[in-house]
Short mmCIF file of all heavy atoms in Angstrom, two decimals:
data_model
loop_
_atom_site.label_atom_id
_atom_site.label_comp_id
_atom_site.label_asym_id
_atom_site.label_seq_id
_atom_site.Cartn_x
_atom_site.Cartn_y
_atom_site.Cartn_z
N ALA A 1 0.86 -1.18 0.00
CA ALA A 1 0.00 0.00 0.00
C ALA A 1 0.88 1.23 0.00
O ALA A 1 1.88 1.28 0.72
CB ALA A 1 -0.91 0.01 1.22
N THR A 2 0.52 2.20 -0.82
CA THR A 2 1.27 3.44 -0.86
C THR A 2 0.33 4.60 -0.54
O THR A 2 -0.76 4.69 -1.09
CB THR A 2 1.96 3.65 -2.23
OG1 THR A 2 2.57 4.94 -2.27
CG2 THR A 2 0.98 3.53 -3.38
N TYR A 3 0.74 5.44 0.40
CA TYR A 3 -0.05 6.59 0.82
C TYR A 3 0.50 7.85 0.18
O TYR A 3 1.71 8.09 0.19
CB TYR A 3 -0.03 6.75 2.34
CG TYR A 3 -0.97 5.82 3.07
CD1 TYR A 3 -0.57 4.54 3.42
CD2 TYR A 3 -2.25 6.23 3.41
CE1 TYR A 3 -1.43 3.68 4.09
CE2 TYR A 3 -3.11 5.37 4.09
CZ TYR A 3 -2.69 4.11 4.42
OH TYR A 3 -3.55 3.26 5.09
N ASN A 4 -0.41 8.67 -0.34
CA ASN A 4 -0.09 9.97 -0.91
C ASN A 4 -0.39 11.00 0.17
O ASN A 4 -1.55 11.23 0.50
CB ASN A 4 -0.96 10.17 -2.15
CG ASN A 4 -0.77 11.53 -2.78
OD1 ASN A 4 0.15 12.26 -2.46
ND2 ASN A 4 -1.66 11.88 -3.69
N VAL A 5 0.66 11.63 0.76
CA VAL A 5 0.44 12.44 1.97
C VAL A 5 1.04 13.84 1.83
O VAL A 5 2.21 13.99 1.44
CB VAL A 5 1.05 11.75 3.21
CG1 VAL A 5 0.90 12.61 4.45
CG2 VAL A 5 0.42 10.38 3.43
N PHE A 6 0.25 14.82 2.15
CA PHE A 6 0.72 16.18 2.44
C PHE A 6 0.03 16.68 3.71
O PHE A 6 0.65 17.17 4.62
CB PHE A 6 0.46 17.16 1.29
CG PHE A 6 0.69 18.59 1.69
CD1 PHE A 6 1.98 19.05 1.93
CD2 PHE A 6 -0.37 19.46 1.89
CE1 PHE A 6 2.21 20.36 2.36
CE2 PHE A 6 -0.16 20.76 2.31
CZ PHE A 6 1.13 21.22 2.54
N ASP A 7 -1.30 16.51 3.73
CA ASP A 7 -2.06 16.87 4.92
C ASP A 7 -2.99 15.72 5.28
O ASP A 7 -2.91 14.64 4.68
CB ASP A 7 -2.82 18.19 4.72
CG ASP A 7 -3.72 18.15 3.49
OD1 ASP A 7 -3.92 17.05 2.92
OD2 ASP A 7 -4.25 19.21 3.11
N GLY A 8 -3.86 15.93 6.25
CA GLY A 8 -4.74 14.85 6.69
C GLY A 8 -4.03 13.82 7.54
O GLY A 8 -4.55 12.73 7.79
N GLU A 9 -2.82 14.19 8.03
CA GLU A 9 -2.01 13.21 8.77
C GLU A 9 -2.64 12.78 10.08
O GLU A 9 -2.26 11.74 10.64
CB GLU A 9 -0.60 13.77 9.03
CG GLU A 9 -0.53 14.92 10.01
CD GLU A 9 -0.75 16.29 9.37
OE1 GLU A 9 -1.01 16.35 8.16
OE2 GLU A 9 -0.66 17.29 10.10
N GLU A 10 -3.65 13.52 10.56
CA GLU A 10 -4.31 13.11 11.80
C GLU A 10 -5.07 11.79 11.64
O GLU A 10 -5.39 11.12 12.62
CB GLU A 10 -5.26 14.21 12.30
CG GLU A 10 -6.47 14.47 11.42
CD GLU A 10 -6.21 15.41 10.25
OE1 GLU A 10 -5.04 15.77 10.00
OE2 GLU A 10 -7.18 15.77 9.57
N LEU A 11 -5.33 11.39 10.39
CA LEU A 11 -6.05 10.14 10.11
C LEU A 11 -5.12 9.01 9.67
O LEU A 11 -5.54 7.86 9.57
CB LEU A 11 -7.10 10.36 9.02
CG LEU A 11 -8.19 11.39 9.31
CD1 LEU A 11 -9.04 11.65 8.08
CD2 LEU A 11 -9.05 10.93 10.47
N LEU A 12 -3.87 9.34 9.40
CA LEU A 12 -2.96 8.37 8.76
C LEU A 12 -2.72 7.13 9.59
O LEU A 12 -2.82 6.00 9.08
CB LEU A 12 -1.63 9.06 8.42
CG LEU A 12 -0.58 8.18 7.73
CD1 LEU A 12 -1.10 7.62 6.41
CD2 LEU A 12 0.71 8.98 7.52
N GLU A 13 -2.39 7.28 10.86
CA GLU A 13 -2.07 6.11 11.68
C GLU A 13 -3.25 5.14 11.76
O GLU A 13 -3.09 3.93 11.60
CB GLU A 13 -1.65 6.53 13.09
CG GLU A 13 -1.29 5.35 13.97
CD GLU A 13 -0.67 5.75 15.29
OE1 GLU A 13 -0.26 6.92 15.45
OE2 GLU A 13 -0.57 4.88 16.18
N ALA A 14 -4.45 5.68 11.97
CA ALA A 14 -5.63 4.82 12.06
C ALA A 14 -5.90 4.13 10.73
O ALA A 14 -6.30 2.95 10.70
CB ALA A 14 -6.84 5.64 12.49
N SER A 15 -5.67 4.83 9.62
CA SER A 15 -5.87 4.21 8.32
C SER A 15 -4.90 3.06 8.09
O SER A 15 -5.28 1.98 7.63
CB SER A 15 -5.72 5.27 7.21
OG SER A 15 -5.83 4.67 5.93
N ILE A 16 -3.63 3.29 8.43
CA ILE A 16 -2.63 2.23 8.27
C ILE A 16 -2.98 1.02 9.14
O ILE A 16 -2.89 -0.13 8.70
CB ILE A 16 -1.21 2.75 8.61
CG1 ILE A 16 -0.77 3.80 7.58
CG2 ILE A 16 -0.21 1.60 8.66
CD1 ILE A 16 0.52 4.50 7.92
N LYS A 17 -3.40 1.28 10.37
CA LYS A 17 -3.77 0.16 11.25
C LYS A 17 -4.96 -0.62 10.70
O LYS A 17 -5.04 -1.84 10.88
CB LYS A 17 -4.09 0.69 12.65
CG LYS A 17 -2.85 1.10 13.43
CD LYS A 17 -3.20 1.65 14.80
CE LYS A 17 -1.95 1.97 15.61
NZ LYS A 17 -2.26 2.56 16.93
N SER A 18 -5.86 0.07 9.98
CA SER A 18 -7.02 -0.63 9.42
C SER A 18 -6.63 -1.61 8.32
O SER A 18 -7.29 -2.63 8.12
CB SER A 18 -8.06 0.37 8.89
OG SER A 18 -7.76 0.84 7.58
N ILE A 19 -5.53 -1.34 7.60
CA ILE A 19 -5.11 -2.26 6.54
C ILE A 19 -4.02 -3.23 7.01
O ILE A 19 -3.83 -4.28 6.41
CB ILE A 19 -4.65 -1.51 5.27
CG1 ILE A 19 -3.42 -0.65 5.55
CG2 ILE A 19 -5.78 -0.67 4.69
CD1 ILE A 19 -2.78 -0.04 4.31
N ARG A 20 -3.31 -2.88 8.08
CA ARG A 20 -2.29 -3.77 8.63
C ARG A 20 -2.89 -4.86 9.50
O ARG A 20 -2.30 -5.92 9.70
CB ARG A 20 -1.31 -2.96 9.49
CG ARG A 20 -0.29 -2.14 8.74
CD ARG A 20 0.87 -2.97 8.27
NE ARG A 20 2.07 -2.18 8.01
CZ ARG A 20 3.17 -2.68 7.47
NH1 ARG A 20 3.24 -3.95 7.14
NH2 ARG A 20 4.21 -1.91 7.24
N LYS A 21 -4.09 -4.59 10.03
CA LYS A 21 -4.73 -5.54 10.94
C LYS A 21 -4.88 -6.90 10.26
O LYS A 21 -5.31 -7.00 9.12
CB LYS A 21 -6.10 -5.01 11.36
CG LYS A 21 -6.75 -5.79 12.47
CD LYS A 21 -8.05 -5.12 12.91
CE LYS A 21 -8.74 -5.93 13.98
NZ LYS A 21 -10.04 -5.34 14.34
N GLY A 22 -4.54 -7.94 10.98
CA GLY A 22 -4.66 -9.29 10.44
C GLY A 22 -3.62 -9.62 9.40
O GLY A 22 -3.71 -10.65 8.73
N GLY A 23 -2.63 -8.76 9.23
CA GLY A 23 -1.56 -9.03 8.27
C GLY A 23 -2.02 -9.00 6.83
O GLY A 23 -1.39 -9.61 5.96
N VAL A 24 -3.11 -8.28 6.54
CA VAL A 24 -3.63 -8.26 5.17
C VAL A 24 -2.65 -7.58 4.23
O VAL A 24 -2.33 -8.09 3.16
CB VAL A 24 -5.01 -7.56 5.11
CG1 VAL A 24 -5.56 -7.58 3.69
CG2 VAL A 24 -5.99 -8.21 6.06
N VAL A 25 -2.15 -6.40 4.62
CA VAL A 25 -1.18 -5.68 3.79
C VAL A 25 0.22 -6.00 4.29
O VAL A 25 0.50 -5.97 5.48
CB VAL A 25 -1.45 -4.16 3.84
CG1 VAL A 25 -0.31 -3.38 3.19
CG2 VAL A 25 -2.76 -3.84 3.14
N ASP A 26 1.11 -6.35 3.35
CA ASP A 26 2.45 -6.81 3.69
C ASP A 26 3.49 -5.70 3.73
O ASP A 26 4.54 -5.84 4.37
CB ASP A 26 2.91 -7.85 2.66
CG ASP A 26 1.93 -9.00 2.56
OD1 ASP A 26 1.77 -9.73 3.55
OD2 ASP A 26 1.30 -9.18 1.49
N PHE A 27 3.24 -4.59 3.04
CA PHE A 27 4.24 -3.54 2.90
C PHE A 27 3.53 -2.20 2.78
O PHE A 27 2.54 -2.09 2.06
CB PHE A 27 5.09 -3.80 1.64
CG PHE A 27 6.14 -2.77 1.37
CD1 PHE A 27 7.40 -2.86 1.97
CD2 PHE A 27 5.90 -1.72 0.50
CE1 PHE A 27 8.38 -1.91 1.71
CE2 PHE A 27 6.87 -0.76 0.24
CZ PHE A 27 8.11 -0.86 0.84
N VAL A 28 4.02 -1.19 3.51
CA VAL A 28 3.41 0.14 3.46
C VAL A 28 4.49 1.19 3.21
O VAL A 28 5.51 1.21 3.90
CB VAL A 28 2.68 0.49 4.77
CG1 VAL A 28 2.20 1.94 4.76
CG2 VAL A 28 1.50 -0.45 5.00
N CYS A 29 4.27 2.03 2.21
CA CYS A 29 5.16 3.16 2.01
C CYS A 29 4.34 4.45 2.01
O CYS A 29 3.14 4.43 1.71
CB CYS A 29 5.98 3.03 0.73
SG CYS A 29 5.12 3.39 -0.79
N VAL A 30 4.98 5.52 2.37
CA VAL A 30 4.35 6.84 2.37
C VAL A 30 5.18 7.76 1.49
O VAL A 30 6.39 7.92 1.72
CB VAL A 30 4.26 7.43 3.80
CG1 VAL A 30 3.76 8.88 3.74
CG2 VAL A 30 3.33 6.59 4.67
N VAL A 31 4.54 8.32 0.47
CA VAL A 31 5.17 9.33 -0.37
C VAL A 31 4.61 10.67 0.10
O VAL A 31 3.41 10.91 -0.03
CB VAL A 31 4.89 9.09 -1.86
CG1 VAL A 31 5.62 10.12 -2.72
CG2 VAL A 31 5.30 7.67 -2.27
N TYR A 32 5.47 11.50 0.66
CA TYR A 32 5.00 12.72 1.31
C TYR A 32 5.65 13.96 0.71
O TYR A 32 6.69 13.88 0.04
CB TYR A 32 5.28 12.67 2.82
CG TYR A 32 6.75 12.72 3.17
CD1 TYR A 32 7.38 13.93 3.49
CD2 TYR A 32 7.52 11.56 3.17
CE1 TYR A 32 8.73 13.98 3.80
CE2 TYR A 32 8.87 11.60 3.48
CZ TYR A 32 9.47 12.81 3.78
OH TYR A 32 10.81 12.85 4.08
N GLN A 33 5.04 15.10 0.96
CA GLN A 33 5.58 16.38 0.53
C GLN A 33 5.75 17.30 1.73
O GLN A 33 4.87 17.37 2.58
CB GLN A 33 4.63 17.06 -0.47
CG GLN A 33 4.58 16.38 -1.82
CD GLN A 33 3.51 16.99 -2.70
OE1 GLN A 33 2.57 16.30 -3.06
NE2 GLN A 33 3.63 18.26 -3.06
N ARG A 34 6.87 18.04 1.78
CA ARG A 34 7.04 19.11 2.76
C ARG A 34 6.36 20.39 2.27
O ARG A 34 5.88 21.19 3.05
CB ARG A 34 8.52 19.42 2.99
CG ARG A 34 9.33 18.30 3.63
CD ARG A 34 10.80 18.69 3.64
NE ARG A 34 11.64 17.58 4.03
CZ ARG A 34 12.26 17.49 5.21
NH1 ARG A 34 12.09 18.43 6.11
NH2 ARG A 34 13.03 16.45 5.48
N ILE A 35 6.36 20.56 0.93
CA ILE A 35 5.75 21.72 0.29
C ILE A 35 4.67 21.21 -0.65
O ILE A 35 4.92 20.31 -1.46
CB ILE A 35 6.78 22.55 -0.51
CG1 ILE A 35 7.96 22.96 0.38
CG2 ILE A 35 6.12 23.78 -1.16
CD1 ILE A 35 7.62 23.91 1.49
N SER A 36 3.47 21.77 -0.55
CA SER A 36 2.35 21.31 -1.37
C SER A 36 2.52 21.70 -2.83
O SER A 36 3.44 22.45 -3.19
CB SER A 36 1.03 21.90 -0.84
OG SER A 36 0.90 23.24 -1.27
N ASN A 37 1.63 21.21 -3.67
CA ASN A 37 1.62 21.55 -5.09
C ASN A 37 1.39 23.04 -5.31
O ASN A 37 1.64 23.56 -6.39
CB ASN A 37 0.54 20.76 -5.83
CG ASN A 37 0.78 19.27 -5.75
OD1 ASN A 37 1.92 18.82 -5.60
ND2 ASN A 37 -0.27 18.49 -5.85
N PHE A 38 0.89 23.73 -4.29
CA PHE A 38 0.59 25.16 -4.39
C PHE A 38 1.56 26.01 -3.57
O PHE A 38 1.33 27.20 -3.39
CB PHE A 38 -0.85 25.42 -3.95
CG PHE A 38 -1.86 24.70 -4.80
CD1 PHE A 38 -2.36 23.46 -4.42
CD2 PHE A 38 -2.30 25.25 -5.99
CE1 PHE A 38 -3.28 22.79 -5.20
CE2 PHE A 38 -3.22 24.60 -6.79
CZ PHE A 38 -3.71 23.37 -6.40
N GLY A 39 2.64 25.39 -3.04
CA GLY A 39 3.66 26.15 -2.34
C GLY A 39 3.45 26.32 -0.84
O GLY A 39 4.18 27.08 -0.20
N THR A 40 2.49 25.61 -0.26
CA THR A 40 2.21 25.71 1.18
C THR A 40 3.09 24.72 1.95
O THR A 40 3.28 23.59 1.51
CB THR A 40 0.73 25.39 1.46
OG1 THR A 40 -0.08 26.25 0.65
CG2 THR A 40 0.40 25.59 2.92
N LYS A 41 3.62 25.16 3.10
CA LYS A 41 4.43 24.27 3.93
C LYS A 41 3.54 23.27 4.68
O LYS A 41 2.42 23.60 5.08
CB LYS A 41 5.23 25.08 4.95
CG LYS A 41 6.37 25.87 4.33
CD LYS A 41 7.18 26.57 5.41
CE LYS A 41 8.33 27.35 4.79
NZ LYS A 41 9.12 28.07 5.83
N CYS A 42 4.06 22.08 4.88
CA CYS A 42 3.32 21.06 5.63
C CYS A 42 3.22 21.44 7.10
O CYS A 42 3.95 22.30 7.59
CB CYS A 42 3.96 19.69 5.46
SG CYS A 42 5.55 19.51 6.31
N SER A 43 2.34 20.76 7.80
CA SER A 43 2.18 20.95 9.23
C SER A 43 3.47 20.56 9.96
O SER A 43 4.19 19.63 9.54
CB SER A 43 1.02 20.08 9.73
OG SER A 43 1.09 19.90 11.12
N ALA A 44 3.75 21.24 11.06
CA ALA A 44 4.93 20.90 11.87
C ALA A 44 4.81 19.50 12.46
O ALA A 44 5.81 18.91 12.88
CB ALA A 44 5.09 21.93 12.99
N ARG A 45 3.61 18.94 12.49
CA ARG A 45 3.40 17.60 13.06
C ARG A 45 3.74 16.48 12.08
O ARG A 45 3.92 15.33 12.48
CB ARG A 45 1.93 17.44 13.48
CG ARG A 45 1.45 18.40 14.54
CD ARG A 45 0.01 18.10 14.94
NE ARG A 45 -0.88 18.11 13.79
CZ ARG A 45 -1.57 19.16 13.36
NH1 ARG A 45 -1.47 20.31 14.00
NH2 ARG A 45 -2.37 19.08 12.32
N LEU A 46 3.78 16.80 10.77
CA LEU A 46 3.86 15.74 9.77
C LEU A 46 5.13 14.91 9.87
O LEU A 46 5.07 13.68 9.99
CB LEU A 46 3.72 16.32 8.35
CG LEU A 46 3.82 15.28 7.22
CD1 LEU A 46 2.72 14.24 7.33
CD2 LEU A 46 3.80 15.95 5.86
#
């Protein structure tokens, strides 16, 4: 599973746990941006 991430990170951990549960998904990668497509900086939490 590959996650496309810039914002919405408050939901990311729960989403990953939903697909990792029971060993259904074997591999998870996150492709993230520090700067959005429109030039906005990511959250300090990301």
Side-chain angles (χ1 to χ4, degrees):
T2 174
Y3 280 86
N4 177 12
V5 177
F6 168 71
D7 55 11
E9 69 274 3
E10 67 276 7
L11 300 172
L12 180 59
E13 181 171 346
S15 177
I16 293 172
K17 286 179 176 178
S18 83
I19 63 171
R20 283 280 202 187
K21 189 175 178 184
V24 182
V25 170
D26 304 295
F27 179 86
V28 173
C29 77
V30 172
V31 183
Y32 68 95
Q33 289 173 243
R34 294 173 190 252
I35 305 295
S36 78
N37 298 334
F38 299 95
T40 306
K41 288 184 179 179
C42 70
S43 162
R45 299 183 305 267
L46 179 61

